[in-house]
């Protein structure tokens, strides 16, 4: 991965950034609805100052550890300018020289940690309290411990800028006097995209990453392969995609494509977490790798169908070791998702070789023990590659012996059942992610975002130490009925309801009705930024979507 003069993080960091705007009083109302997700501390007044795109710029603070040449912030300064000034064409206005001392001219950005670039770690909280904060008139100041905190602060600043309703006014961009102290409530704030049931073009994935950053999501969970297709192009096993993808040329992700996604995500402060789910959900794998899947029997004869990965053959683990060695080099993240969910035992139980192995191992007829045997071997393979495993909750439910640092992922159940699961997992000392209440591929008529907004992730029986083991949550967009034609409006802005729940203080964001004006404002910001976000209810945006 590209080096840059930025930061590394092998430990927990103090979780704050400051964004202070102190500006001379100007006439005019406070017309910005607010920020989404809501900051931890947010104080604003009707005092406002104009911004002139001809005069405005970001700069590195003189004491900042990150300086020019830090690729993450260099790119962000360029990227956020048109987001803050969406109508600016680059033409110099005639009245530019009339009052250059009045506008807010610059935002110094200061980070406090010097070191070489390292991987983004979602167990790291990204923000800090600066030791010294200097704020002068007509000037904003953004201070963060790392470049990742600075990125989130830039997003916050971009949402504070609003436009005058009267286009004739020269300075039609404004920002109000504001003071913010902010940090995320949870470290892991993810979006899952399923690219097996329908192929999603790289362009669509990149646009999703952009929209994720606008709501401060920080993990892209790439459920890249599954039963229907195997679009990941492996160099070690090229037949997996050439025979398992919907089309071997047009519906695949080359390793160049993967690098492009990872590079784009990095500039937004987003991790890319790959998932290669097994032993179930692997029908497409068997098309390009013979003897990997279990042959199913009907009575004493082969049925001609195949079930989950065959867990009794040494060749299975040799294949997995080689595949995951490649995957680990292509996806540099410290974690890898290994799946482990929804294994249908009927094929295993029909196969005489499987039954003989079960008897030999003393498993009897308990096929959960066979799945445990398989998953323990796969986790050991990825552990040897210095990858920490994330697995679906089934792995824990089957009492599998997995390392204590394995992250458990809850995907099923009613609130009562996933709350009980949270309690059991954290009591066992395991880190947990919650996805069950945020399956937003399910849709219903009306404002269903309320149900995602009203989730209380820590509302389960347990000690404070247990609740610290819930490291975050994830919005899942499964692909049975979703492709590039409808992904964006189905995902946005509904996913952003979960984003606020995972970022903001729960007590300050307990009312969906009170949040609605800000949410409506966010939806219009997404639309103006080119994100085809669906309406929340009756109404309009000042700047309607221009892509139709």
């Amino acid at each position: 991965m590209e080096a840059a003069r930025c930061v590394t993080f092998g430990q927990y960091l103090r979780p704050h950034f400051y964004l202070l705007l102190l500006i001379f009083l100007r006439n005019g109302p406070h017309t910005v609805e607010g920020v989404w997700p809501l900051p931890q501390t947010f104080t604003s007044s009707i005092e406002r100052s104009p911004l002139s795109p001809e005069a405005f710029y970001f700069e590195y603070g003189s004491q900042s550890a990150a300086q020019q040449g830090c690729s993450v912030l260099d790119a962000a300064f360029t990227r956020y300018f048109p987001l803050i000034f969406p109508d600016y064409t680059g033409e110099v206005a005639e009245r530019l020289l009339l009052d250059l001392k009045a506008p807010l001219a610059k935002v110094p950005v200061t980070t406090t940690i010097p070191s070489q670039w390292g991987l983004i770690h979602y167990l790291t909280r990204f923000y800090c309290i600066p030791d010294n904060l200097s704020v002068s008139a007509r000037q904003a100041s953004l201070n963060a411990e790392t470049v990742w905190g600075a990125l989130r602060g830039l997003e916050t600043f971009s949402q504070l800028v609003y436009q005058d309703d009267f286009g004739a006014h020269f300075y039609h961009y404004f920002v109000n006097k504001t003071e913010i102290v902010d940090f995320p409530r949870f470290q892991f704030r993810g979006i899952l995209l399923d690219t097996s049931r329908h192929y999603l073009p790289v362009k669509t994935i990149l646009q999703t990453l952009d929209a994720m950053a606008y709501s401060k999501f920080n993990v892209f969970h790439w459920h890249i392969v599954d039963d229907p297709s195997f679009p990941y192009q492996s160099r070690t096993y090229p037949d997996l995609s050439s025979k398992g993808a919907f089309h071997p040329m047009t519906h695949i992700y080359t390793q160049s494509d993967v690098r492009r996604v990872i590079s784009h995500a990095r500039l937004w402060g987003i991790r890319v977490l790959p998932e290669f789910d097994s032993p179930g959900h692997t029908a497409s794998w068997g098309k390009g790798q013979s003897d990997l899947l279990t042959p199913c029997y009907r009575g004493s004869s082969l049925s001609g169908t195949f079930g989950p990965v065959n867990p009794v053959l040494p060749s299975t683990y040799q294949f997995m070791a080689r595949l995951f060695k490649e995957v680990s080099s292509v996806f540099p993240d410290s974690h890898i998702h290994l799946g482990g969910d929804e294994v249908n035992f009927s094929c295993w139980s029909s196969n005489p070789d499987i039954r003989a192995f079960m008897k030999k191992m003393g498993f009897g007829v308990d096929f959960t023990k066979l799945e445990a045997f398989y998953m323990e071997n796969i986790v050991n393979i990825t552990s040897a590659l210095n990858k920490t495993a994330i697995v679906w909750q089934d792995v824990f439910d089957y009492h599998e012996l997995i390392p204590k640092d394995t992250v458990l992922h809850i995907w099923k159940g009613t609130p009562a059942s996933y709350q009980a699961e949270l309690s059991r997992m954290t009591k066992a000392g395991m880190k947990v992610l919650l996805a069950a209440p945020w399956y937003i591929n399910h849709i219903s008529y009306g404002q269903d975002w309320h149900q995602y907004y009203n989730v209380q992730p820590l509302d389960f029986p347990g000690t404070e130490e247990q609740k610290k083991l819930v490291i975050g949550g994830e919005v899942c967009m499964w692909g049975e009925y979703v492709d590039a034609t409808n992904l964006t409006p189905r995902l946005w802005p509904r996913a952003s309801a979960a984003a606020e729940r995972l970022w903001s203080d729960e007590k300050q964001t307990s009312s969906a009705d009170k949040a609605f004006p800000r949410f409506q404002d966010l939806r219009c910001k997404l639309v103006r930024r080119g994100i085809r976000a669906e309406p929340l209810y009756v109404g309009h945006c000042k700047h309607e979507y221009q892509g139709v």
Side-chain angles (χ1 to χ4, degrees), residues 81-93:
F81 190 90
L83 296 179
I84 293 169
F85 305 109
D87 294 330
Y88 180 57
T89 62
E91 297 177 2
V92 178

Side-chain angles (χ1 to χ4, degrees), residues 51 261 376 382 526:
L51 287 80
V261 169
E376 289 161 16
T382 54
L526 293 175

Side-chain angles (χ1 to χ4, degrees), residues 417-437:
S417 62
Y418 70 67
Q419 287 162 1
E421 189 85 332
L422 281 164
S423 187
R424 287 191 295 269
M425 289 175 171
T426 55
K427 189 173 183 179
M430 306 296 289
K431 295 186 180 74
V432 183
L433 293 169
L434 181 63

